[in-house]
Amino acid sequence: MKRLLWPFATTVALVVALVCALAIGRSLRPPVSALGTLAGSAPVAVSAAATALPPQSSSASDQASMAYLYNGPESPDDHRYDYHWMVLREALERTMPKYGPYRMEAASYMSEDRQAEELRNDSGRLNILIRGDTAEYGKAFAAVWIPIDKGLLGYRVFLTRAELQPQLDAVNSLDGLKPFPIGQGSGWKDIDILRASGLTVTVGADYAGLFAMLANRRFDLFSRGVEEVTDEYAQHRQGFPDLAIERHLLLYYPIARYFWFARSKHSARLAERVREGMIRMVEDGSLDRLFEESHRQLFAQLGLASRKLLILSNPLASPDAPLRDSRLWFRPLAGAERPSVEPSVPAEAR
């Protein structure tokens, strides 16, 4: 009987030893990198700032929570933010290896005030905004401080009356611009920026009425973003035959569009993913390429590179805006550096 039990006991001991050896071997394997790539994809260089993010959970529920709910277009013809949402998608694609799947979903169109209210309340109806920077927004929300539009929002050309072009051709400084009243809509933050530089501003009650005010000589210039002016001119030229896009001047003040999120734990994680993806886009040059491809035709149409650049300060700019990083800003003039303008805030607050 003892002879029969001896081989059996030996076999059991060997099996136990083998199981222990396998468990120890597994514990000694190196951990999988949090920035590992998907099968078939190339590794991506990430800055030190990006790698400082917390490790990603791989649970299915965590991956499903990476949903970006944004404001939908006002109409089927509203393409104002197509480029900006392309940037978001590219940033999310570049972070797939670390963060996993994502979803982008357009909510029903809301006014700017309603969007801000929904985000402030963290209602879940939307969780990401595109908006220019102001100190007020910086207090209420959290931004990814990489300009989506490379500061294009701050570049302005004028709608005017064609008869004024010879006089405007002689303007080469802000002082030369001061005799020409500039029209703006009630409540627009640009009013304070223009007046802070000593320019004369005439305020209209509503957007649509500003075109008639310009035609009726209530003011001489209607300051418009370079992304807005060509469409507005096309829409209003028949109703106002003397309407023209001014050809000589390019106004600039430091302001840009950013992605904004609610100040909550979940939104902070959504924002970190976007920030990391946009850092990668800056480093590999893809943000520059997407920007240039999306705007090349517009820049040529407006002749931005040959205009006289007039620079204003922006007393409303957020102190967190990354004005000193030249990689992030558009330079419209061939061979020119980014306009060197700082917001009017104390240096110690920056």
Side-chain angles (χ1 to χ4, degrees):
M1 185 66 177
K2 290 182 179 179
R3 291 179 181 178
L4 292 175
L5 291 174
W6 172 254
F8 176 76
T10 302
T11 300
V12 170
L14 289 173
V15 170
V16 170
L18 180 60
V19 170
C20 291
L22 288 173
I24 293 171
R26 286 179 180 175
S27 69
L28 294 176
R29 289 179 185 173
V32 177
S33 168
L35 288 174
T37 57
L38 293 175
S41 65
V44 181
V46 184
S47 70
T51 57
L53 300 178
Q56 165 64 16
S57 167
S58 60
S59 70
S61 61
D62 192 51
Q63 292 176 343
S65 71
M66 303 301 284
Y68 291 80
L69 312 177
Y70 61 94
N71 190 52
E74 188 170 359
S75 70
D77 297 324
D78 182 5
H79 299 288
R80 290 174 293 174
Y81 297 104
D82 287 359
Y83 159 77
H84 305 76
W85 299 129
M86 282 196 300
V87 170
L88 177 63
R89 187 175 299 280
E90 287 293 323
L92 298 178
E93 285 291 325
R94 277 164 174 71
T95 52
M96 283 280 288
K98 179 175 180 179
Y99 289 89
Y102 66 88
R103 188 172 85 254
M104 288 177 59
E105 182 177 322
S108 299
Y109 173 77
M110 307 176 196
S111 68
E112 289 190 5
D113 288 344
R114 171 73 183 282
Q115 291 176 57
E117 188 65 23
E118 295 291 347
L119 198 65
R120 187 177 291 106
N121 294 332
D122 201 14
S123 67
R125 293 184 178 87
L126 55 77
N127 56 23
I128 182 172
L129 296 182
I130 295 170
R131 196 75 77 249
D133 63 299
T134 65
E136 177 185 359
Y137 254 68
K139 292 177 182 177
F141 307 116
V144 174
W145 288 114
I146 302 174
I148 313 166
D149 63 351
K150 296 181 67 66
L152 187 61
L153 180 62
Y155 288 93
R156 305 288 168 139
V157 296
F158 297 116
L159 286 172
T160 188
R161 298 183 299 277
E163 64 187 14
L164 291 176
Q165 188 62 57
Q167 299 175 51
L168 294 165
D169 285 340
V171 175
N172 290 297
S173 68
L174 285 177
D175 284 340
L177 191 61
K178 289 178 180 179
F180 300 90
I182 300 172
Q184 292 285 272
S186 177
W188 295 3
K189 298 185 184 300
D190 308 73
I191 297 170
D192 293 330
I193 297 173
L194 295 170
R195 285 177 173 166
S197 292
L199 299 174
T200 301
V201 179
T202 301
V203 178
D206 62 85
Y207 166 75
L210 288 165
F211 297 92
M213 291 176 68
L214 175 60
N216 293 326
R217 294 175 169 76
R218 297 281 301 280
F219 52 80
D220 295 329
L221 304 171
F222 186 10
S223 177
R224 310 305 300 136
V226 298
E227 295 176 284
E228 304 167 319
V229 69
T230 55
D231 286 343
E232 291 177 336
Y233 173 67
Q235 293 168 9
H236 294 92
R237 59 185 300 186
Q238 290 187 345
F240 305 102
D242 196 37
L243 187 68
I245 297 175
E246 199 281 327
R247 300 189 300 267
H248 173 57
L249 300 170
L250 178 62
L251 207 62
Y252 171 76
Y253 40 86
I255 187 171
R257 288 190 175 100
Y258 299 91
F259 291 121
W260 295 87
F261 293 84
R263 292 189 178 278
S264 68
K265 183 176 180 180
H266 175 64
S267 290
R269 185 163 183 75
L270 296 176
E272 283 292 340
R273 176 172 184 166
V274 174
R275 185 185 66 84
E276 181 179 330
M278 292 187 71
I279 287 173
R280 295 186 182 195
M281 293 178 70
V282 171
E283 291 180 342
D284 66 20
S286 58
L287 183 60
D288 282 344
R289 289 192 294 271
L290 184 58
F291 177 81
E292 290 167 6
E293 290 169 3
S294 300
H295 299 95
R296 185 183 296 115
Q297 184 177 354
L298 175 64
F299 296 159
Q301 183 179 357
L302 293 174
L304 293 192
S306 62
R307 289 173 176 261
K308 175 63 181 179
L309 182 65
L310 302 179
I311 301 174
L312 285 63
S313 63
N314 179 4
L316 304 181
S318 169
D320 295 316
L323 298 176
R324 293 180 176 87
D325 191 341
S326 60
R327 300 174 305 164
L328 307 181
W329 300 90
F330 169 54
R331 296 177 296 178
L333 308 182
E337 293 296 323
R338 180 185 64 82
S340 179
V341 178
E342 299 290 345
S344 299
V345 296
E348 61 271 16
R350 296 176 191 165

